[in-house]
Amino acid sequence: MSTPDARPLVLRGGTVLTMDDAHTVLPRGDVLVVDGKIAAVGERLDVPEGTQEVDATGGVVMPGMVDTHRHMWQTAMRGYGADWTLTQYFVWYYLEHGKTFRPEDVHAGNLLSAWEGLEAGVTTTVDWSHGLQSVDHAEAAADALLAVPGRFVLAYGNIQAGPWEWTADPAVQAFLKRRADEGKLGLQLAFDVTGDPAFPEKAAFEVARELGLPVTTHAGVWGATSDASIQLMHDAGFMTPETVYVHAASLSTDSYHRIAASGGSVSVSTESEQSAGQGYPPTWQVRKHGIPVSLSMDTSVWWSADLFSAMRTTLGADRSREHLEAHVEGNTVTQVHLRAEQVVEWATRGGARALGRDDLGSLEPGKTADVVLIKNDASPVSFPLLNPYGHVAFQAQRGDVHTVLVGGRVVKSDGRLVGYDGAAVRSAVESTVEHLRGAMGEETWQAGMNPAMPEDGDDVLDNPYTYTDYKSEDTHGARGSLFGD
Ligand SMILES: [Zn+2]
């Protein structure tokens, strides 16, 4: 991963959001970093001789953000699916063109995505890598992540084969063991549970258990996974505290109780749920059950790797739901439940907790120095800085990210990425676009980007998983009411 810069570094005089247990805020604080760790947080700190100083006055110093679910391989198609629904996404990647990706295409997407996250102050990203059709693809994915000085978790997946098939492959297991021994990347297994009562995914959970890897799974996704999936995992004892339930949107209260009781966490991709249709962004539900939350951006085929956007849209979706429900009853909301402080916690510490990384997510002595400075003196949006959580959630944006440290190493400085060879990344991504476009033909390529307007009688996809014939209406039953369970 990243080697810390040899010199100690201090960020001086910023508004420091420590995100410690008490959520201590220092209005004019310093953060001292030595040997890749936070050495001290306080006011007017004494620092070792030769310490590099970064002027943080007028800015916000906070922990690096954590994205717990992003399909980084798809970043080479940035923005292509802006007008897609989940069905169109499934058809494009799962049924038709996902197979077109070569190892170098996965590499190109991951490289671009990895730099993009760092640029936005996201220091840790889970690469929900479900395009790994072969171990060569997996090597390419891992190599790209290791070429960028961020912190990454490779969540190994393959939408082209059943989880019980690819997890049984000795070459896949050997890859996972070797990469685990190297210790440079975090690792998870990434697969979905269709709800088939035969529960073929059981074998994949067993491999995860044998290898000691957490499982991340798309749960509560309209038309794909449902309460039946949670029930199967529950009955077989696979709901563990390190399990991450992505979206968890179209679920019943029983499923939320099970997630809460097992100590698992939910990765909310609000922008995705709003546009694609997995279900209503679930924070309004999961917060009632006390389920830990982290935030994620899902895929740059629609959205960018920008957790400012995730925080903002999560506040909006939760509050919008609350207002609408009150209005239906003839009431009004006088105090909103979800606060800016909470989404900043989810974007930082929530992600660290979901990944079992107690050393990340807060600025406290002894913790790993993943640090972000938001400061843009040239911007009229940078002042007055009255409510720092509100400022981060609603006012700041990726262009305001001034400095980023990963394990004490400076990876963005004065608004510019350090060591980023933009020409090389661009050239790799352009080759991938050229390959995909050529393989599909121009007409198919254009049609994919510009989906037809809806017509009566359009088919509902029963199940996007090509590796199984299992289908169930359970994944797309009528909800009965907008506002009920
Ligand atoms: Zn996803």
Side-chain angles (χ1 to χ4, degrees), residues 94 127-135 137-138 154-176 187-193 200-201 203-208 211 213-218 465-468:
Y94 286 55
D127 178 20
W128 220 103
S129 195
H130 56 357
L132 306 181
Q133 305 168 65
S134 74
V135 173
H137 287 76
L154 179 68
Y156 196 114
N158 175 6
I159 47 175
Q160 306 299 336
W164 54 94
E165 293 163 343
W166 59 262
T167 55
D169 181 347
V172 170
Q173 294 191 10
F175 168 89
L176 290 165
L187 293 164
Q188 296 180 336
L189 289 188
F191 58 87
D192 297 347
V193 177
E201 298 87 357
F205 281 104
E206 281 162 353
V207 171
L211 298 177
L213 300 178
V215 170
T216 176
T217 188
H218 291 117
Y465 306 106
T466 50
Y467 51 78
T468 172

Side-chain angles (χ1 to χ4, degrees), residues 375-422:
K375 174 183 160 94
N376 185 352
D377 292 339
S379 167
V381 184
S382 62
F383 62 91
L385 182 48
L386 305 176
N387 173 343
Y389 295 112
H391 198 90
V392 169
F394 276 136
Q395 305 292 329
Q397 45 108 351
R398 66 156 61 234
D400 300 331
V401 174
H402 178 287
T403 299
V404 180
L405 308 184
V406 177
R409 175 172 170 179
V410 179
V411 300
K412 189 177 183 185
S413 175
D414 205 4
R416 309 278 293 187
L417 287 168
V418 177
Y420 166 63
D421 184 350

Side-chain angles (χ1 to χ4, degrees), residues 69 71 89 94 128 130 218 246-247 269 272 278 298-299:
H69 152 245
H71 308 294
Y89 171 86
Y94 286 55
W128 220 103
H130 56 357
H218 291 117
V246 175
H247 303 304
S269 308
S272 180
Q278 293 89 344
D298 203 345
T299 169

Side-chain angles (χ1 to χ4, degrees), residues 219-236:
V221 173
W222 186 265
T225 60
S226 70
D227 290 317
S229 317
I230 299 287
Q231 174 93 49
L232 287 164
M233 288 175 65
H234 174 263
D235 293 351

Side-chain angles (χ1 to χ4, degrees), residues 126-388:
V126 174
D127 178 20
W128 220 103
S129 195
H130 56 357
L132 306 181
Q133 305 168 65
S134 74
V135 173
D136 287 346
H137 287 76
E139 300 286 4
D143 289 347
L145 300 178
L146 292 175
V148 179
R151 199 176 298 288
F152 301 100
V153 174
L154 179 68
Y156 196 114
N158 175 6
I159 47 175
Q160 306 299 336
W164 54 94
E165 293 163 343
W166 59 262
T167 55
D169 181 347
V172 170
Q173 294 191 10
F175 168 89
L176 290 165
K177 284 178 192 155
R178 180 166 47 81
R179 292 290 184 173
D181 288 346
E182 275 176 17
K184 294 176 180 168
L185 288 172
L187 293 164
Q188 296 180 336
L189 289 188
F191 58 87
D192 297 347
V193 177
T194 64
D196 179 351
F199 196 26
E201 298 87 357
K202 182 168 184 275
F205 281 104
E206 281 162 353
V207 171
R209 189 175 276 171
E210 264 168 49
L211 298 177
L213 300 178
V215 170
T216 176
T217 188
H218 291 117
V221 173
W222 186 265
T225 60
S226 70
D227 290 317
S229 317
I230 299 287
Q231 174 93 49
L232 287 164
M233 288 175 65
H234 174 263
D235 293 351
F238 294 125
M239 295 183 78
T240 58
E242 66 272 20
T243 309
V244 177
Y245 304 85
V246 175
H247 303 304
S250 308
L251 293 175
S252 69
T253 301
D254 275 355
S255 289
Y256 290 120
H257 283 160
R258 289 188 166 127
I259 294 172
S262 65
S265 67
V266 166
S267 172
V268 178
S269 308
T270 305
E271 278 193 298
S272 180
E273 288 126 27
Q274 287 183 318
S275 267
Q278 293 89 344
Y280 198 90
T283 55
W284 66 285
Q285 287 265 45
V286 302
R287 62 178 165 75
K288 290 178 195 165
H289 297 287
I291 298 170
V293 172
S294 62
L295 302 183
S296 60
M297 289 310 301
D298 203 345
T299 169
S300 292
V301 81
W302 278 270
W303 312 282
S304 76
D306 178 354
L307 288 186
F308 295 107
S309 185
M311 289 187 272
R312 194 171 300 180
T313 194
T314 299
L315 283 172
D318 196 289
R319 292 174 179 182
S320 175
R321 176 95 193 190
E322 199 168 28
H323 289 301
L324 197 57
E325 290 193 31
H327 295 169
V328 165
E329 303 281 325
N331 290 328
T332 192
V333 172
T334 53
Q335 288 100 0
V336 288
H337 273 92
L338 189 61
R339 303 299 168 104
E341 181 171 347
Q342 182 68 66
V343 293
V344 175
E345 153 93 19
W346 287 343
T348 52
R349 210 138 173 214
R353 279 202 196 95
L355 301 179
R357 291 293 304 256
D358 290 342
D359 63 320
L360 303 176
S362 65
L363 303 178
E364 297 175 82
K367 297 237 178 175
T368 300
D370 289 7
V371 186
V372 169
L373 167 61
I374 298 165
K375 174 183 160 94
N376 185 352
D377 292 339
S379 167
V381 184
S382 62
F383 62 91
L385 182 48
L386 305 176
N387 173 343

